[in-house]
Amino acid sequence: MEELARLSEIEQAAAGHGELIWAAQGRGDGSPGPGVRAWRHGEAWAVASPNRQQDRLMVQGDSADAAVLVRPILEEVGPTYRLLGEAALIDGLVRRLPELAPVHEFFWMETTTCCGAATAGVRWLDSREEKEAASLFDRFFPDSYAQPGRAGVRRWAGVVGVVGEEDGGVGAEPLAVAADAWSAAGCGFMGGVITHPSARGRGLGRAVSGYVLDDLVRRHGRAALMVLTGNTPAIATYERLGMTKHRFAAAHLRGR
């Protein structure tokens, strides 16, 4: 088992896929992010990335080689880390390592191309508007990892308007928002996409998503996100914006 010290080594291992690059949380000086460690064994790679919301161990490559990597890594970094990787790989690790239990499947989606979606009315929110957006999550998306004020969530884009305007509503507030969250050198990341229920059906979610994704591609060369497999409307929106989906899965140590 070999530990990798430079971001360039992780980027080479990624072989055109964004998940390892994102997990490395690379900085401009060519080093991985704070606390990030990476290893390789044979044709498998793993990147351990600490995070306040969820410590992640992203794995990629051959299932047998990955099994050799994962057990000593978890013993070293601790039991809080959740494994993420392509669904077939995680399934193979769960079968090989009885101490692992599957959690759920999701899609890792990414793009390296600007979509050029219509984004009229979308802009980066100011600090007051970001605080106002927090109520959207309190009421309609409390389980979101990306929320205003959380560590690593850098900026929020949104459409501001009047809720229930057709019924005489008063007071402008964010109607749809999306965040630049936990982006890293070589892979921007979008999270926290939400539209107020009264504003749905107007394409606002697509507009704010396209705005953020295009900005991330221009800044980092790639943009990615995670979405649960059952969220069919969101998946369709992201595919229309040019994103490609890959079925991933998560697993953790039994008893966690």
mmCIF file of all heavy atoms in Angstrom, residues 7 10 29 38 50-51 53 59 71 75 84-85 95 100 104 148-149 153 159 163 169 184 187 204 232:
data_model
loop_
_atom_site.group_PDB
_atom_site.id
_atom_site.type_symbol
_atom_site.label_atom_id
_atom_site.label_comp_id
_atom_site.label_asym_id
_atom_site.label_seq_id
_atom_site.Cartn_x
_atom_site.Cartn_y
_atom_site.Cartn_z
ATOM 1 N N LEU A 7 -1.259 16.226 -5.184
ATOM 2 C CA LEU A 7 -2.529 16.277 -5.899
ATOM 3 C C LEU A 7 -2.383 15.729 -7.311
ATOM 4 O O LEU A 7 -3.297 15.069 -7.826
ATOM 5 C CB LEU A 7 -3.038 17.718 -5.939
ATOM 6 C CG LEU A 7 -4.417 17.948 -6.562
ATOM 7 C CD1 LEU A 7 -5.496 17.182 -5.810
ATOM 8 C CD2 LEU A 7 -4.738 19.440 -6.593
ATOM 9 N N ILE A 10 -3.006 12.061 -7.499
ATOM 10 C CA ILE A 10 -4.427 11.710 -7.398
ATOM 11 C C ILE A 10 -5.127 12.009 -8.719
ATOM 12 O O ILE A 10 -5.953 11.215 -9.188
ATOM 13 C CB ILE A 10 -5.076 12.492 -6.242
ATOM 14 C CG1 ILE A 10 -4.383 12.138 -4.924
ATOM 15 C CG2 ILE A 10 -6.572 12.186 -6.153
ATOM 16 C CD1 ILE A 10 -4.803 12.999 -3.756
ATOM 17 N N ASP A 29 -1.834 25.259 -4.463
ATOM 18 C CA ASP A 29 -0.404 24.972 -4.391
ATOM 19 C C ASP A 29 -0.070 23.533 -4.778
ATOM 20 O O ASP A 29 1.074 23.091 -4.637
ATOM 21 C CB ASP A 29 0.124 25.261 -2.986
ATOM 22 C CG ASP A 29 -0.531 24.376 -1.918
ATOM 23 O OD1 ASP A 29 -1.405 23.557 -2.262
ATOM 24 O OD2 ASP A 29 -0.171 24.516 -0.741
ATOM 25 N N ALA A 38 -4.418 10.092 0.773
ATOM 26 C CA ALA A 38 -4.750 9.232 -0.368
ATOM 27 C C ALA A 38 -3.774 8.065 -0.455
ATOM 28 O O ALA A 38 -2.597 8.195 -0.076
ATOM 29 C CB ALA A 38 -4.717 10.041 -1.664
ATOM 30 N N PRO A 50 -11.879 14.360 5.345
ATOM 31 C CA PRO A 50 -12.685 14.716 6.519
ATOM 32 C C PRO A 50 -13.618 15.874 6.216
ATOM 33 O O PRO A 50 -13.283 16.787 5.462
ATOM 34 C CB PRO A 50 -11.633 15.110 7.553
ATOM 35 C CG PRO A 50 -10.465 15.581 6.744
ATOM 36 C CD PRO A 50 -10.470 14.765 5.493
ATOM 37 N N ASN A 51 -14.806 15.829 6.803
ATOM 38 C CA ASN A 51 -15.797 16.869 6.571
ATOM 39 C C ASN A 51 -16.721 16.938 7.775
ATOM 40 O O ASN A 51 -17.052 15.907 8.366
ATOM 41 C CB ASN A 51 -16.602 16.555 5.297
ATOM 42 C CG ASN A 51 -17.591 17.643 4.946
ATOM 43 O OD1 ASN A 51 -18.704 17.656 5.435
ATOM 44 N ND2 ASN A 51 -17.183 18.566 4.079
ATOM 45 N N GLN A 53 -19.872 17.557 7.939
ATOM 46 C CA GLN A 53 -21.148 16.893 7.735
ATOM 47 C C GLN A 53 -20.993 15.368 7.632
ATOM 48 O O GLN A 53 -21.821 14.620 8.147
ATOM 49 C CB GLN A 53 -21.832 17.423 6.472
ATOM 50 C CG GLN A 53 -22.660 18.677 6.690
ATOM 51 C CD GLN A 53 -21.812 19.881 7.006
ATOM 52 O OE1 GLN A 53 -20.888 20.223 6.268
ATOM 53 N NE2 GLN A 53 -22.097 20.539 8.108
ATOM 54 N N VAL A 59 -13.476 5.639 -3.055
ATOM 55 C CA VAL A 59 -12.678 4.539 -3.587
ATOM 56 C C VAL A 59 -12.948 4.376 -5.074
ATOM 57 O O VAL A 59 -14.041 4.684 -5.570
ATOM 58 C CB VAL A 59 -12.966 3.216 -2.847
ATOM 59 C CG1 VAL A 59 -12.455 3.280 -1.419
ATOM 60 C CG2 VAL A 59 -14.453 2.889 -2.859
ATOM 61 N N ARG A 71 -9.566 -1.887 4.455
ATOM 62 C CA ARG A 71 -9.536 -2.334 5.857
ATOM 63 C C ARG A 71 -8.473 -1.601 6.683
ATOM 64 O O ARG A 71 -8.793 -1.028 7.730
ATOM 65 C CB ARG A 71 -9.358 -3.844 5.918
ATOM 66 C CG ARG A 71 -9.346 -4.400 7.329
ATOM 67 C CD ARG A 71 -9.396 -5.922 7.299
ATOM 68 N NE ARG A 71 -10.732 -6.428 7.097
ATOM 69 C CZ ARG A 71 -11.005 -7.648 6.619
ATOM 70 N NH1 ARG A 71 -10.024 -8.439 6.246
ATOM 71 N NH2 ARG A 71 -12.262 -8.046 6.505
ATOM 72 N N GLU A 75 -9.006 1.328 9.735
ATOM 73 C CA GLU A 75 -8.390 1.136 11.047
ATOM 74 C C GLU A 75 -7.558 2.353 11.444
ATOM 75 O O GLU A 75 -7.466 2.706 12.617
ATOM 76 C CB GLU A 75 -7.515 -0.118 11.038
ATOM 77 C CG GLU A 75 -8.305 -1.420 10.966
ATOM 78 C CD GLU A 75 -7.410 -2.635 10.843
ATOM 79 O OE1 GLU A 75 -6.174 -2.455 10.703
ATOM 80 O OE2 GLU A 75 -7.931 -3.766 10.868
ATOM 81 N N LEU A 84 -17.607 5.729 -0.403
ATOM 82 C CA LEU A 84 -18.354 6.129 -1.582
ATOM 83 C C LEU A 84 -17.607 5.635 -2.812
ATOM 84 O O LEU A 84 -16.383 5.668 -2.859
ATOM 85 C CB LEU A 84 -18.492 7.651 -1.663
ATOM 86 C CG LEU A 84 -19.097 8.395 -0.467
ATOM 87 C CD1 LEU A 84 -19.043 9.892 -0.717
ATOM 88 C CD2 LEU A 84 -20.516 7.954 -0.205
ATOM 89 N N GLY A 85 -18.348 5.189 -3.811
ATOM 90 C CA GLY A 85 -17.722 4.760 -5.052
ATOM 91 C C GLY A 85 -18.755 4.181 -5.995
ATOM 92 O O GLY A 85 -19.956 4.133 -5.669
ATOM 93 N N ARG A 95 -19.343 -7.414 -0.083
ATOM 94 C CA ARG A 95 -19.281 -8.885 -0.122
ATOM 95 C C ARG A 95 -17.946 -9.408 0.389
ATOM 96 O O ARG A 95 -17.892 -10.465 1.018
ATOM 97 C CB ARG A 95 -19.544 -9.381 -1.549
ATOM 98 C CG ARG A 95 -21.004 -9.295 -1.958
ATOM 99 C CD ARG A 95 -21.291 -9.941 -3.294
ATOM 100 N NE ARG A 95 -20.895 -9.085 -4.414
ATOM 101 C CZ ARG A 95 -19.837 -9.280 -5.167
ATOM 102 N NH1 ARG A 95 -19.017 -10.300 -4.918
ATOM 103 N NH2 ARG A 95 -19.553 -8.475 -6.173
ATOM 104 N N LEU A 100 -18.515 -4.308 6.638
ATOM 105 C CA LEU A 100 -19.164 -3.207 5.944
ATOM 106 C C LEU A 100 -20.648 -3.488 5.732
ATOM 107 O O LEU A 100 -21.050 -4.628 5.483
ATOM 108 C CB LEU A 100 -18.511 -2.951 4.593
ATOM 109 C CG LEU A 100 -17.067 -2.442 4.593
ATOM 110 C CD1 LEU A 100 -16.577 -2.273 3.156
ATOM 111 C CD2 LEU A 100 -16.949 -1.130 5.351
ATOM 112 N N HIS A 104 -26.895 3.329 0.871
ATOM 113 C CA HIS A 104 -27.856 3.670 -0.171
ATOM 114 C C HIS A 104 -27.107 3.857 -1.490
ATOM 115 O O HIS A 104 -25.877 3.909 -1.512
ATOM 116 C CB HIS A 104 -28.630 4.953 0.169
ATOM 117 C CG HIS A 104 -27.751 6.160 0.343
ATOM 118 N ND1 HIS A 104 -27.467 6.713 1.567
ATOM 119 C CD2 HIS A 104 -27.073 6.921 -0.557
ATOM 120 C CE1 HIS A 104 -26.675 7.745 1.418
ATOM 121 N NE2 HIS A 104 -26.412 7.887 0.137
ATOM 122 N N PRO A 148 -27.197 27.399 4.044
ATOM 123 C CA PRO A 148 -26.532 28.671 4.350
ATOM 124 C C PRO A 148 -25.875 28.648 5.721
ATOM 125 O O PRO A 148 -26.459 28.187 6.701
ATOM 126 C CB PRO A 148 -27.693 29.676 4.303
ATOM 127 C CG PRO A 148 -28.676 29.069 3.345
ATOM 128 C CD PRO A 148 -28.597 27.591 3.601
ATOM 129 N N GLY A 149 -24.627 29.121 5.749
ATOM 130 C CA GLY A 149 -23.892 29.215 7.002
ATOM 131 C C GLY A 149 -23.053 28.007 7.347
ATOM 132 O O GLY A 149 -22.265 28.061 8.295
ATOM 133 N N VAL A 153 -19.552 25.781 2.371
ATOM 134 C CA VAL A 153 -20.543 26.278 1.410
ATOM 135 C C VAL A 153 -20.186 27.725 1.105
ATOM 136 O O VAL A 153 -20.390 28.613 1.922
ATOM 137 C CB VAL A 153 -21.972 26.158 1.969
ATOM 138 C CG1 VAL A 153 -22.983 26.620 0.927
ATOM 139 C CG2 VAL A 153 -22.257 24.720 2.394
ATOM 140 N N VAL A 159 -32.796 33.093 -7.452
ATOM 141 C CA VAL A 159 -33.789 33.982 -8.051
ATOM 142 C C VAL A 159 -34.600 34.555 -6.901
ATOM 143 O O VAL A 159 -35.133 33.803 -6.075
ATOM 144 C CB VAL A 159 -34.717 33.222 -9.018
ATOM 145 C CG1 VAL A 159 -35.809 34.157 -9.541
ATOM 146 C CG2 VAL A 159 -33.927 32.618 -10.163
ATOM 147 N N VAL A 163 -43.162 35.492 -3.029
ATOM 148 C CA VAL A 163 -43.913 34.263 -2.891
ATOM 149 C C VAL A 163 -45.403 34.579 -2.957
ATOM 150 O O VAL A 163 -45.886 35.480 -2.267
ATOM 151 C CB VAL A 163 -43.589 33.560 -1.555
ATOM 152 C CG1 VAL A 163 -44.461 32.338 -1.367
ATOM 153 C CG2 VAL A 163 -42.121 33.170 -1.516
ATOM 154 N N GLY A 169 -49.053 38.527 -2.784
ATOM 155 C CA GLY A 169 -47.996 38.359 -1.796
ATOM 156 C C GLY A 169 -47.104 39.592 -1.737
ATOM 157 O O GLY A 169 -46.991 40.353 -2.694
ATOM 158 N N ALA A 184 -13.355 22.182 -5.274
ATOM 159 C CA ALA A 184 -11.919 21.966 -5.110
ATOM 160 C C ALA A 184 -11.220 22.192 -6.447
ATOM 161 O O ALA A 184 -11.857 22.223 -7.498
ATOM 162 C CB ALA A 184 -11.657 20.543 -4.609
ATOM 163 N N CYS A 187 -12.349 20.339 -9.681
ATOM 164 C CA CYS A 187 -13.729 19.841 -9.643
ATOM 165 C C CYS A 187 -14.591 20.734 -8.756
ATOM 166 O O CYS A 187 -14.500 20.660 -7.533
ATOM 167 C CB CYS A 187 -13.784 18.393 -9.144
ATOM 168 S SG CYS A 187 -15.438 17.636 -9.270
ATOM 169 N N LEU A 204 -37.240 27.597 -12.562
ATOM 170 C CA LEU A 204 -36.274 28.325 -11.744
ATOM 171 C C LEU A 204 -35.155 27.418 -11.250
ATOM 172 O O LEU A 204 -33.995 27.838 -11.173
ATOM 173 C CB LEU A 204 -36.973 28.987 -10.554
ATOM 174 C CG LEU A 204 -38.076 29.995 -10.885
ATOM 175 C CD1 LEU A 204 -38.612 30.641 -9.612
ATOM 176 C CD2 LEU A 204 -37.577 31.056 -11.857
ATOM 177 N N THR A 232 -36.191 11.641 -9.548
ATOM 178 C CA THR A 232 -36.284 11.622 -11.008
ATOM 179 C C THR A 232 -36.367 13.013 -11.635
ATOM 180 O O THR A 232 -35.687 13.270 -12.638
ATOM 181 C CB THR A 232 -37.483 10.769 -11.449
ATOM 182 O OG1 THR A 232 -37.362 9.463 -10.873
ATOM 183 C CG2 THR A 232 -37.548 10.646 -12.961
#
